[in-house]
Amino acid sequence: MQKIAIVGAGRVGESTAQFLARRDLAREIALLDVHEGTAAGAALDIQETAPLLGFDTRLTGSHEADVIAGAELVIITAGLPRKPGMSRSDVLDKNVAILDEILDQVRRHAPDSRLLVVSNPVDVLTWRAAQQTGWSRDRIMGQAGVLDTSRMAAFIALETGLSVHDIQALVLGGHGDAMVPLLRYSHVNGIPLDRFLDRETLDSIVERTRHGGAEILALKQTSSAYAAPAAAIAEMVEAIALDRRRVLPTVALLDGEYGQRDVATGVPCILGQGGMERIVELDLQADEQADLERSIAGIRKDLERLQ
């Protein structure tokens, strides 16, 4: 890509810029933040690592919205962060207002871009972005499933002592406590997980995955996770920027898939040069489908607050 913009130069936004620059995924990365000097300082700090890390990406930062002009992809990380004890839904009202303002800036300065929403609650905000812009669903997506899947795979590796290179995991549904880790679609180099772990351990991995973000927040107290979310964003951006056409769990707008419409949630998608190119429908068992519907029901409850 020629230019990627990141709105929000906090911990997630700054870490995302670092990951993207190191992968040389764009000629330019522009950071935008409401606090004067924050984005410019983050951009300069990262730029000064270029000779050491060997990347040619140029970074700029500003509190003026025109810094994102001409971006092909806009990544939205800005928003009120969770505090210990808060759910992602607890920050909904304020983050919707922040998102709406950002969308106005994107329409003005980067009207041909694609959007990658990261701010929480990501499922609701991804839906909101589609409603506010009227853009086709291939242009609007959210990041959650890649992060949740990575957490699940990490927990499997820790429990089995096996290499993460051989572990595949999959998480669907909303990015919250009702997310749906799919053990049936998770494996170690094609071998079912139950060959390595007993049912009690597998159930504990599912629960730990569901509360992965809250666990880190409770430990750190002063901030939520940012390294793993940034790495997950970079994985999605690489698939789009390099047209890899990877199948990655993505918050996407559903239009009949999985029996759902007018809602955004995490499902497997093909990501490539065309953005969110296609949703992949899995053959879910009755209990898996019920879990997914329960997760989506929670998202719809939050959507009702926006009506």
Side-chain angles (χ1 to χ4, degrees):
M1 288 184 176
Q2 287 298 310
K3 184 173 182 177
I4 295 173
I6 301 171
V7 183
R11 288 185 172 95
V12 174
E14 184 173 358
S15 296
T16 297
Q18 291 176 319
F19 275 97
L20 297 182
R22 291 192 67 171
R23 296 193 189 193
D24 263 330
L25 294 177
R27 294 297 300 165
E28 179 185 354
I29 294 175
L31 290 97
L32 171 64
D33 196 276
V34 294
H35 300 289
E36 186 172 356
T38 297
L44 182 58
D45 191 19
I46 298 169
Q47 190 71 72
E48 291 171 357
T49 69
L52 301 172
L53 301 178
F55 62 81
D56 291 316
T57 299
R58 298 292 185 264
L59 293 102
T60 56
S62 177
H63 65 286
E64 299 288 351
D66 59 3
V67 73
I68 71 172
E72 297 160 75
L73 175 67
V74 177
I75 303 167
I76 301 175
T77 69
L80 184 72
R82 284 197 295 165
K83 295 180 180 179
M86 294 176 67
S87 72
R88 294 176 176 89
S89 295
D90 289 337
V91 296
L92 172 60
D93 295 335
K94 292 193 176 184
N95 282 353
V96 165
I98 293 170
L99 176 72
D100 287 351
E101 184 176 345
I102 292 169
L103 294 175
D104 287 341
Q105 297 168 342
V106 172
R107 284 193 294 261
R108 187 178 311 118
H109 298 290
D112 299 320
S113 65
R114 301 186 188 281
L115 288 177
L116 178 53
V117 181
V118 181
S119 308
N120 279 315
V122 64
D123 307 271
V124 177
L125 296 187
T126 301
W127 179 90
R128 178 74 170 191
Q131 296 298 307
Q132 292 295 94
T133 61
W135 293 355
S136 57
R137 66 176 184 167
D138 61 292
R139 296 177 61 186
I140 299 174
M141 64 210 86
Q143 191 292 121
V146 175
L147 169 61
D148 296 329
T149 295
S150 177
R151 284 173 170 159
M152 183 177 178
F155 299 150
I156 293 169
L158 290 172
E159 290 291 346
T160 61
L162 300 174
S163 170
V164 294
H165 293 284
D166 292 332
I167 296 171
Q168 291 289 323
L170 182 60
V171 178
L172 303 186
H175 185 49
D177 297 344
M179 67 179 70
V180 187
L182 290 179
L183 293 174
R184 192 164 60 93
Y185 285 94
S186 304
H187 57 83
V188 179
N189 208 7
I191 303 171
L193 295 178
D194 60 11
R195 294 293 299 273
F196 302 96
L197 299 168
D198 59 38
R199 188 68 210 189
E200 183 179 356
T201 303
L202 289 172
D203 288 342
S204 71
I205 287 173
V206 167
E207 284 306 303
R208 193 177 184 189
T209 300
R210 286 177 172 150
H211 303 283
E215 180 181 1
I216 292 173
L217 180 60
L219 289 168
K220 297 178 72 172
Q221 292 291 313
T222 57
S223 77
S224 55
Y226 55 88
I233 295 166
E235 199 79 351
M236 296 179 72
V237 173
E238 181 177 281
I240 296 168
L242 302 184
D243 194 24
R244 292 199 183 278
R245 304 197 77 241
R246 292 193 61 192
V247 179
L248 295 172
T250 302
V251 178
L253 278 296
L254 301 186
D255 186 22
E257 296 87 0
Y258 296 94
Q260 302 286 333
R261 295 182 186 276
D262 195 29
V263 70
T265 195
V267 290
C269 296
I270 297 175
L271 299 187
Q273 191 175 41
M276 195 289 292
E277 297 184 352
R278 182 164 69 86
I279 292 173
V280 179
E281 284 198 77
L282 301 176
D283 183 17
L284 299 181
Q285 295 178 348
D287 59 332
E288 296 166 339
Q289 182 67 31
D291 286 344
L292 180 59
E293 290 175 0
R294 190 158 39 248
S295 183
I296 292 174
I299 298 169
R300 290 193 185 280
K301 186 175 181 180
D302 280 342
L303 290 179
E304 290 175 2
R305 293 165 55 182
L306 305 184
Q307 305 299 322

